[in-house]
């Protein structure tokens, strides 16, 4: 069973295969695989809001000749307490793969445990691996390679930051995670990192860590579920805003990434996100291309890519 749950569960060879397939799919505008998933269907299960993840998966399935069905917690029995385990067992009788966006990572693991079809992580409170695959694709597409590109994360050590750290370890990418002391990536991920040999991931509380960066990344300061202490988060994170002064410290050829949705004027200014160094809309487009490659991998079809 090929689940796509977290980047640390897959080796660099597999991740590279998926990345290269996505780049190929994009170059060939999807025509090479137009019927690859004919007769296959994907359930998209959302316990949290989504624009990009939802539509990029639907477009990916449609372009590969398959179908998708959306199940929202608010309009299904999930929202009335039906368990993830029972949902997994039932959906497995109807569809060929399941994508889940949820809060607790344990729910994703339950979905994978009880499903008899591949399960894909569409975001949990812990991680967002599909997003970071699109980010890696965007960096590789822009620079021609991931090699020796220095990545700096600025802001909250959230689920997107965690998946970036896992990617940096897998590909040997030099990365600095710059967060306030109170918003570092979770201890369990730091413990995991401590056991990885030869990685180039470092941590800094100083937003000046952006100096010389090739890739500057920001994300919302108030993720879904963090709304209760929004005001305090905005105040604490203010020095980590990616603005024109911040970008001027990065490499002259640096690019800016943001998974979107952005809160303009908070973690990033209009001048940066709409400026010439921003790749955010390529990054958003690449969600669709990478979803295709992830789906093909889950269905065991990627070796033919
Ligand atoms: N970046 C991302 O996952 O976007 P959505 O929340 O719109 O799916």
């Amino acid at each position: 069973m090929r689940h796509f749950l977290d980047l640390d569960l897959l080796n660099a060879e597999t991740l590279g295969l998926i990345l290269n397939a996505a780049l190929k799919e994009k170059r060939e505008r999807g025509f090479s695989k137009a019927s690859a998933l004919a007769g296959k269907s994907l359930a998209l299960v959302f316990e949290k809001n989504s624009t990009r993840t939802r539509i990029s998966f639907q477009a990916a399935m449609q372009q590969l000749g398959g179908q998708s069905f959306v199940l929202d917690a608010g309009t299904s029995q999930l929202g009335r307490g039906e368990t993830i385990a029972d949902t997994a067992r039932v959906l497995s009788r109807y569809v060929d793969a399941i994508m889940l966006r949820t809060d607790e990572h344990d729910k994703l693991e339950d979905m994978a445990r009880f499903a008899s079809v591949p399960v894909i992580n569409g975001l949990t409170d812990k991680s967002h691996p599909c997003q970071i695959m699109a980010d890696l694709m965007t960096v590789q597409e822009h620079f021609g390679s991931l090699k020796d590109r220095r990545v700096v994360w600025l802001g909250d050590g959230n689920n997107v930051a965690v998946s970036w750290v896992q990617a940096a370890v897998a590909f040997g990418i030099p990365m600095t995670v710059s967060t306030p002391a109170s918003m570092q990536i979770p201890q369990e991920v730091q413990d995991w990192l401590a056991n990885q040999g030869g990685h180039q991931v470092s941590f800094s509380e100083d937003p000046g860590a952006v100096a010389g960066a090739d890739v500057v990344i920001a994300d919302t300061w108030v993720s879904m579920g963090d709304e209760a202490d929004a005001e305090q988060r905005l105040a604490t994170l203010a020095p980590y805003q990616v603005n024109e002064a911040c970008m001027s410290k990065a490499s002259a050829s640096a690019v800016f990434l943001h998974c979107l949705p952005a809160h303009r004027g908070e973690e990033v200014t209009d001048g940066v996100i709409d400026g010439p160094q921003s790749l955010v809309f390529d990054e958003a487009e690449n969600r669709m291309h990478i979803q295709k490659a992830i789906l093909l991998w889950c269905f065991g079809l990627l070796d033919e890519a």
Side-chain angles (χ1 to χ4, degrees):
M1 187 72 68
R2 287 186 168 183
H3 298 306
F4 190 84
L5 300 181
D6 255 331
L7 300 184
D8 64 328
L9 300 177
L10 300 171
N11 61 32
E13 190 181 328
T14 298
L15 297 175
L17 185 72
I18 294 171
L19 273 178
N20 288 329
L23 287 160
K24 182 170 186 276
E25 285 295 323
K26 185 174 183 179
R27 276 197 307 274
E28 296 178 3
R29 305 176 77 84
F31 296 148
S32 66
K33 291 285 182 187
S35 58
L37 297 188
K40 302 273 190 209
S41 56
L42 170 70
L44 295 161
V45 183
F46 288 98
E47 294 198 297
K48 287 182 161 188
N49 293 4
S50 170
T51 296
R52 279 145 290 271
T53 303
R54 174 175 172 156
I55 300 301
S56 62
F57 266 113
Q58 289 195 293
M61 282 301 286
Q62 193 268 335
Q63 290 184 20
L64 291 173
Q67 293 186 70
S68 58
F69 307 102
V70 173
L71 195 67
D72 278 313
T75 57
S76 70
Q77 303 297 358
L78 263 177
R80 296 180 63 245
E82 185 165 18
T83 65
I84 288 283
D86 286 352
T87 305
R89 288 185 280 222
V90 171
L91 291 182
S92 297
R93 305 288 181 109
Y94 301 148
V95 299
D96 302 288
I98 301 168
M99 188 234 69
L100 174 63
R101 167 167 287 197
T102 188
D103 41 22
E104 295 161 28
H105 197 77
D106 287 353
K107 290 187 185 174
L108 178 78
E109 292 179 342
D110 271 358
M111 185 70 93
R113 186 173 309 117
F114 290 100
S116 53
V117 297
V119 172
I120 298 170
N121 178 354
L123 177 145
T124 68
D125 287 352
K126 179 188 171 193
S127 58
H128 197 0
C130 295
Q131 176 66 55
I132 276 48
M133 290 298 284
D135 290 12
L136 293 168
M137 179 181 171
T138 307
V139 173
Q140 185 160 331
E141 186 176 49
H142 181 81
F143 289 111
S145 161
L146 299 176
K147 193 169 160 39
D148 296 332
R149 298 297 166 188
R150 184 162 170 266
V151 172
V152 175
W153 174 275
L154 284 169
D156 180 22
N158 64 12
N159 48 1
V160 181
V162 165
S163 288
W164 249 110
V165 166
Q166 292 171 341
V169 170
F171 289 104
I173 297 170
M175 177 177 186
T176 302
V177 183
S178 179
T179 69
S182 59
M183 295 186 192
Q184 290 183 351
I185 64 169
Q187 189 60 48
E188 64 165 312
V189 183
Q190 294 187 44
D191 294 345
W192 167 82
L193 186 63
N195 288 319
Q196 307 305 307
H199 69 78
Q200 299 182 68
V201 178
S202 60
F203 297 92
S204 172
E205 292 173 32
D206 177 7
V210 75
D214 298 301
V215 181
V216 181
I217 314 175
D219 190 10
T220 178
W221 291 344
V222 184
S223 295
M224 290 180 276
D226 289 337
E227 292 81 2
D229 59 346
E231 226 168 279
Q232 189 186 339
R233 297 178 70 83
L234 297 187
T236 305
L237 286 159
Y240 297 81
Q241 183 187 65
V242 179
N243 50 36
E244 289 81 343
C246 169
M247 284 303 286
S248 73
K249 295 178 190 147
S251 156
S253 59
V255 297
F256 173 71
L257 298 183
H258 189 304
C259 67
L260 303 177
H263 296 77
R264 291 160 177 263
E266 293 181 10
E267 73 273 9
V268 63
T269 57
D270 285 338
V272 170
I273 197 167
D274 295 330
Q277 290 169 287
S278 174
L279 297 183
V280 300
F281 296 108
D282 289 338
E283 182 184 4
E285 177 188 338
N286 286 342
R287 293 295 307 277
M288 180 181 70
H289 302 293
I290 206 76
Q291 318 297 33
K292 287 185 189 176
I294 291 168
L295 287 162
L296 290 170
W297 178 79
C298 286
F299 289 123
L301 298 171
L302 204 53
D303 295 343
E304 298 160 22

